[in-house]
Amino acid sequence: MSLTKGKLNTPYTVSSVKTNYEDIRQFLFSLGCYPGEKITIISKLASNYIVNIKDARYSIDEDLANAIIV
Amino acid sequence: MRIALAGNPNSGKTTLFNALTGKSEQVGNWVGVTVEKKEGIIKQSLYQSSLNQSLDQSKENTIVVDLPGAYSMSPYTQEESITKEFVLNEKLDVIINIVDATNISRSLFFTTELLDLGIPIVIALNKSDLTQKKGTMINVQALSEALKCPVVETILTKSDKNGLKELLAEVFAADKAKIKQNPPNIRGSVTVTSKEEYQQTNLKRYAFVNAIVAEVERKMISSEKQTLQDQVDRIVAHKWLGIPIFAAVIYLVFSISQTWVGPWVADIFVGWIDLLYGGVAALLGDNVNPVLSALLLDGIIGGVGAVLGFLPLIMMLFFCLALLEDSGYMARVAIVFDRFFKKVGLSGRSIIPMIIGTGCGIPGIMATRTIKNERQRRTTAMLAPFMPCGAKLPIIALFSGVFFSENAWIGTSMYFLGILVIIIGALIIRQITGDYSKSYFIMELPEYKVPSLKRAAFSMLRRAKDFIVKAGTIILVCNAVVQILQTFDWHFRAVGANSPETSILASIATPLAILFIPLGFGLWQFAAAAVTGFIAKENVVGTLAVCFSVTNFINVEDLTLVGGSAEVNAVFGISATAALAYLVFNLFTPPCFAAIGAMNTELESHKWLWGAIGFQFSMGYVLSFLVYQVGTLILTGSFGHGFVGGLIAVGIIVGIIGYFMLKGGKINQGYDGIKAVNL
C-alpha cells in the first residue's frame, strides 16, 4: 500500500518508490528511504506528512507519500 | 593548504567555518543557507593553540572553504552540484566532513562517498552534546577504526572545550602525513560501469554504514517516538492555525523592529546626525560658498543621514529574522505555505527565498537555488523581490509616517500586498510558460532550538556594516550627484531658489515625470528619486530629502517628521492617495541593480531576465495606477489626472501580458501530470 494509507507511529518497511523520476528516487535513497529501510509517519500536518527516516524528520507532500510504497 | 568543509545540510558547517576563520557568515537553521561556497583564512590564534607554534603567515595560509550542504555525491539540487564539482575538481589537502552525531546513519552515506576520493578526511562528529542529552552513546574510537580516518567530537555551539583544537591538530597531522585516504572496501574490485552496478554499490554502501552504526551507536530513545517537538509542530504547522501563528510572529517581529526597540535607538541615532549637521554648519560659518555648504550639509550629511536614520530599524529587523531562522521555525512555515503555493504552481520551498528577501533581496534571490524545478526556481527568483526588503523600509516608514501617521497598518499591509502580488504573479507566469506540472515537496525539519543571541547579533552587525558601507559609498555619491545636478543649470550657473525647475536634474527628470502623471506623482523630484532608487532603494528617501531640502526629518517616535508630518506633506505637494501610489510604485517595480544582478545569475537566461524586469515594471505601474485612480475616485468622486493616458498605457501592458498568457496556454493545454520533482 502507499504510505498515505499508513497509520501514525507505526514503523513500515519501504518496499518500493513508485515514480518515473530517477532523480527523486536517487535523492530519497541518499536520505535513507529505499526498499528494506524503515519509515514512520509521525504526524499529518496541513497537506503534508511528517515522516521519520533514519533518525531525521522530513515533511513530504501527499504526492510523494503516495509514491512511497510500504 | 586548502581545507574544505563538507557535510549534510544543517550539520554545522557554517558554524565551524565561522569558528575557524573568525568570520560571521549567516547562520540559519534550514536547508540552503550556504548558497555558494565561501572562503576564509584560519585564525592565527587557532594555529598557535593547535600546533603549539606560531605560523609564519607570509609563508603559508590555510584556506578554509565552506561548501553548501549535500546528502550525497549524486547532486539533486544546483547547490549540491557546487559541492560535488568542488571536491572532485579542486586540489584539496584535507576535507573536514561534518557529521551530525544525532543522525550518523544518514550522514555516513555521504562520508563513505568522500572517503572514496582518496583525499585525507577528518570527521567532526558535531552536536555531541545533543546525543548525550538523548542518552545516545557513540563509540568514537570504533567509528574511527571502521572508517579508517580520525574522528573528533565537536560541540561547535560552545566557545570553549568545543573540540576545535583537537580537530585542527588532526587536520594538520593528516596534511603533514601526505597519505592517501584509504577507501572503505565497498566496491571491491568492480569498477562501476552501469546504472545497476551503481545502484548495487550504493546499496552496499548503506549496508556498510548500517553495519558500522549497529556496532558503534547505542540509543536510549528511538527516534520514531513522538517528542515534545512533534507536539509543537502539530500546532505551529497546523492546517488552519499555522497561518495566523505565522502572521502573529511576523507582526511581532515588525512591531519590535519598527515601533518598539527600533525607533527608540533611531531617536538617539538621529540626534547624533543632527549634532553633526549643526557642528559642520557652525564650522563652515556664513562666509562659505553656498554651493559647497549645500553639497556638504544637505547633499551628504542630510541625504545620507536621512537614510542612516533608518539603520536601527533595519538592524532590529535583521536581528529578529536571524533569531527566527536559527530557532527552526522557518522550516515549519514552508509546510504551512506549501498547500497554498502549490495551487499557483509553486511549492512551500518558495516561501524561504521570500522570507529571506524581507531582509535583503539578494540572498533571497540566491536562496532559490535550493529549488529543483526550473520553472519554479525562476518564478520564485522573479517574484521574491516583491517582498519589501530592508532597503525599502525607509520608503515605507517615510510615506506611511508622513501621509498615514494615524494608520499604522499601512506599513504592515505592504507585506501582505507583496504576498498577494506574488500569488497573482505566479499564476500569470505559470500561464505564460504553459508549465502546469506539479512537483514533489520534501524538506528536512531541523529540531527546534533556543536561538543564539550572539549569532543573531553577529548577523545583524554584518548586515549593518553592509548598509553603512552602502550609505557611505553608493548613496553618498548618488546624493552628491543629485545635489550638484539640482544646484546647476546646463550652463553650470547656480539656479535660483525660486526656479529649481531650471536645474539639470529637473530638465532630465521632467520628461520622465510625464509618465507618472496618471499615477499621481508627475513631479520631477519624484521621478528623479524613483530613478536613483534603482541604483539602491535607500536613495529614494535620500534623493527626496535632497530635492525637497527636507533633511533630518525623521521623528522616529511614530515615524513622522520633525515639525509634524503636515509640513513635509505640504512640501511634497501630493495627495495621500498619490503618496500611496508612489510607495507602491517603488516597492513593486524592479529592485535595485545589485538584486537585478542576482536575478541575472539565477535566471540563467536573458529572455527570462528581460521578461522579469518587464514584468516587474508592468506590475509596479499597473498597481500604482490602480491605487491612485481608484483611491482618487473613492475620495473625490472623479478620476485623478491623466486617467485616459494611463488607461491606455495600462491597456497596452495588460494586452501584452494577456497575449503571452494566451500563447503559453496553448503550448501545454490540459497537462497536469507530475512533470518535475522538487526538493
Side-chain angles (χ1 to χ4, degrees):
Chain A
M1 65 172 185
S2 91
L3 191 66
T4 46
K5 299 198 175 71
K7 284 188 214 129
L8 295 188
N9 305 313
T10 315
Y12 292 100
T13 304
V14 177
S15 74
S16 67
V17 177
K18 221 171 97 186
T19 170
N20 294 327
Y21 300 97
E22 197 43 52
D23 51 353
I24 187 76
R25 203 197 316 276
Q26 181 58 43
F27 181 68
L28 286 174
F29 184 92
S30 66
L31 299 180
C33 178
Y34 59 94
E37 275 292 327
K38 276 203 296 185
I39 186 165
T40 312
I41 307 170
I42 300 297
S43 53
K44 289 177 190 171
L45 296 174
S47 58
N48 279 275
Y49 289 71
I50 308 299
V51 294
N52 181 72
I53 307 168
K54 279 194 179 286
D55 299 339
R57 295 275 195 272
Y58 301 91
S59 169
I60 62 175
D61 64 9
E62 201 165 353
D63 288 324
L64 193 52
N66 244 323
I68 298 171
I69 310 298
V70 290
Chain B
M1 179 182 170
R2 274 223 301 188
I3 311 172
L5 310 181
N8 285 180
N10 210 19
S11 57
K13 292 175 297 301
T14 304
T15 317
L16 177 59
F17 178 79
N18 290 344
L20 289 175
T21 60
K23 292 198 175 181
S24 54
E25 296 296 347
Q26 181 78 32
V27 191
N29 200 7
W30 53 15
V31 186
V33 171
T34 309
V35 283
E36 212 162 43
K37 68 180 172 60
K38 294 184 193 110
E39 285 194 353
I41 296 168
I42 286 198
K43 285 192 287 190
Q44 177 76 10
S45 58
L46 273 170
Y47 272 118
Q48 286 164 356
S49 54
S50 43
L51 286 173
N52 287 325
Q53 66 184 65
S54 167
L55 193 100
D56 185 355
Q57 287 269 351
S58 62
K59 267 189 197 157
E60 191 189 27
N61 278 328
T62 300
I63 297 165
V64 191
V65 186
D66 181 21
L67 295 169
Y71 291 109
S72 82
M73 286 289 276
S74 345
Y76 184 68
T77 59
Q78 259 191 335
E79 256 204 310
E80 282 191 301
S81 312
I82 299 173
T83 303
K84 184 195 172 184
E85 296 301 319
F86 194 85
V87 293
L88 282 183
N89 302 328
E90 299 287 318
K91 279 192 179 146
L92 292 165
D93 296 293
V94 180
I95 296 175
I96 300 180
N97 174 214
I98 297 98
V99 167
D100 182 345
T102 61
N103 195 331
I104 59 169
S105 59
R106 183 193 68 202
S107 312
L108 291 182
F109 181 81
F110 184 45
T111 306
T112 60
E113 288 184 315
L114 290 175
L115 289 169
D116 272 349
L117 301 173
I119 304 162
I121 308 273
V122 177
I123 291 177
L125 192 63
N126 196 25
K127 306 188 189 176
S128 18
D129 51 334
L130 292 180
T131 48
Q132 281 163 18
K133 247 184 230 166
K134 289 180 181 173
T136 304
M137 302 287 286
I138 296 171
N139 186 338
V140 178
Q141 181 74 30
L143 184 63
S144 168
E145 278 164 19
L147 295 169
K148 300 192 184 72
C149 73
V151 178
V152 181
E153 282 187 287
T154 56
I155 307 170
L156 294 170
T157 45
K158 275 172 53 171
S159 54
D160 61 328
K161 286 186 188 163
N162 48 16
L164 209 57
K165 283 177 205 165
E166 294 78 3
L167 180 72
L168 269 187
E170 290 289 356
V171 169
F172 291 134
D175 178 57
K176 216 174 172 184
K178 299 274 178 227
I179 300 169
K180 212 167 168 272
Q181 179 66 46
N182 202 350
N185 191 17
I186 294 168
R187 289 182 186 174
S189 57
V190 186
T191 5
V192 181
T193 49
S194 70
K195 202 173 118 188
E196 282 73 35
E197 271 178 329
Y198 178 70
Q199 282 172 346
Q200 282 307 314
T201 309
N202 275 343
L203 278 173
K204 282 187 201 163
R205 211 179 274 289
Y206 256 128
F208 175 78
V209 169
N210 289 347
I212 292 178
V213 173
E215 193 191 312
V216 305
E217 191 186 52
R218 292 283 170 272
K219 266 197 247 174
M220 297 289 283
I221 311 164
S222 161
S223 64
E224 290 149 13
K225 288 262 161 20
Q226 288 273 343
T227 63
L228 180 66
Q229 299 225 352
D230 294 317
Q231 302 299 332
V232 174
D233 275 346
R234 286 194 176 178
I235 301 165
V236 166
H238 185 267
K239 196 174 180 178
W240 299 116
L241 288 176
I243 298 243
I245 290 175
F246 174 68
V249 168
I250 292 294
Y251 183 78
L252 189 71
V253 164
F254 285 105
S255 297
I256 292 171
S257 57
Q258 288 172 67
T259 47
W260 303 345
V261 187
W264 177 68
V265 185
D267 222 9
I268 302 168
F269 208 70
V270 171
W272 292 346
I273 297 170
D274 276 343
L275 274 179
L276 181 70
Y277 188 97
V280 174
L283 211 67
L284 289 174
D286 296 333
N287 299 327
V288 78
N289 181 333
V291 175
L292 178 72
S293 130
L295 181 66
L296 201 61
L297 288 176
D298 296 334
I300 295 175
I301 301 177
V304 174
V307 177
L308 279 185
F310 291 96
L311 180 65
L313 276 72
I314 291 158
M315 281 171 76
M316 275 317 295
L317 180 71
F318 283 135
F319 183 75
C320 295
L321 283 178
L323 285 182
L324 264 191
E325 279 181 30
D326 205 19
S327 71
Y329 172 65
M330 293 304 212
R332 276 74 185 179
V333 174
I335 304 177
V336 172
F337 278 91
D338 181 52
R339 182 158 71 109
F340 300 99
F341 275 36
K342 263 212 178 85
K343 291 200 168 75
V344 295
L346 297 176
S347 82
R349 287 227 148 227
S350 303
I351 194 79
I352 298 169
M354 288 161 193
I355 296 169
I356 294 179
T358 54
C360 171
I362 298 158
I365 292 164
M366 284 168 72
T368 56
R369 257 179 229 184
T370 57
I371 301 172
K372 166 89 174 156
N373 178 310
E374 193 180 54
R375 199 253 316 151
Q376 290 188 0
R377 191 181 68 241
R378 286 172 163 172
T379 306
T380 310
M382 258 173 90
L383 300 177
F386 285 137
M387 285 311 279
C389 70
K392 289 174 182 170
L393 270 184
I395 316 176
I396 298 178
L398 174 67
F399 280 86
S400 55
V402 171
F403 292 94
F404 305 96
S405 51
E406 301 300 311
N407 299 306
W409 53 269
I410 288 282
T412 320
S413 68
M414 288 300 132
Y415 290 85
F416 288 97
L417 184 62
I419 295 172
L420 188 70
V421 171
I422 285 168
I423 289 170
I424 296 168
L427 282 170
I428 293 173
I429 297 166
R430 185 171 64 168
Q431 181 70 21
I432 289 177
T433 55
D435 179 358
Y436 272 72
S437 60
K438 287 196 282 181
S439 67
Y440 292 130
F441 172 78
I442 174 165
M443 180 168 199
E444 187 176 354
L445 288 184
E447 288 195 11
Y448 289 106
K449 63 171 194 226
V450 179
S452 154
L453 290 174
K454 191 178 137 195
R455 278 186 285 171
F458 269 128
S459 158
M460 173 185 80
L461 290 174
R462 193 169 54 90
R463 299 283 189 94
K465 199 184 106 196
D466 290 349
F467 192 85
I468 293 168
V469 168
K470 209 158 119 192
T473 51
I474 303 171
I475 296 162
L476 188 140
V477 171
C478 270
N479 283 331
V481 169
V482 167
Q483 182 69 38
I484 290 167
L485 290 181
Q486 75 144 8
T487 310
F488 295 105
D489 62 15
W490 288 98
H491 303 288
F492 275 92
R493 285 183 305 239
V495 296
N498 298 325
S499 53
E501 66 284 348
T502 57
S503 70
I504 301 176
L505 187 70
S507 64
I508 298 173
T510 304
L512 213 61
I514 295 167
L515 292 174
F516 299 140
I517 293 171
L519 315 185
F521 47 89
L523 297 168
W524 65 268
Q525 292 93 332
F526 288 104
V531 172
T532 58
F534 292 118
I535 300 165
K537 288 290 169 187
E538 297 91 333
N539 272 330
V540 174
V541 171
T543 304
L544 287 177
V546 170
C547 284
F548 286 108
S549 298
V550 278
T551 44
N552 293 358
F553 49 59
I554 318 150
N555 177 342
V556 283
E557 282 297 331
D558 44 4
L559 290 175
T560 56
L561 305 178
V562 172
S565 57
E567 279 83 349
V568 179
N569 196 330
V571 172
F572 279 3
I574 51 173
S575 68
T577 321
L580 190 62
Y582 189 65
L583 179 59
V584 166
F585 182 83
N586 279 300
L587 298 190
F588 297 104
T589 42
C592 64
F593 281 163
I596 292 176
M599 267 165 54
N600 182 34
T601 314
E602 302 309 325
L603 292 174
E604 296 174 313
S605 140
H606 288 297
K607 203 172 103 185
W608 269 83
L609 180 70
W610 289 112
I613 293 171
F615 183 74
Q616 288 164 343
F617 263 120
S618 308
M619 214 52 160
Y621 195 89
V622 172
L623 275 177
S624 184
F625 175 78
L626 288 177
V627 167
Y628 175 62
Q629 297 294 347
V630 174
T632 309
L633 181 68
I634 293 170
L635 291 176
T636 65
S638 61
F639 286 114
H641 294 294
F643 175 69
V644 177
L647 197 64
I648 294 169
V650 168
I652 294 170
I653 293 171
V654 172
I656 293 171
I657 293 177
Y659 167 75
F660 281 119
M661 283 171 74
L662 268 174
K663 208 173 119 190
K666 283 184 185 145
I667 304 171
N668 279 328
Q669 226 164 22
Y671 185 89
D672 65 352
I674 291 175
K675 205 163 85 176
V677 286
N678 188 16
L679 170 66

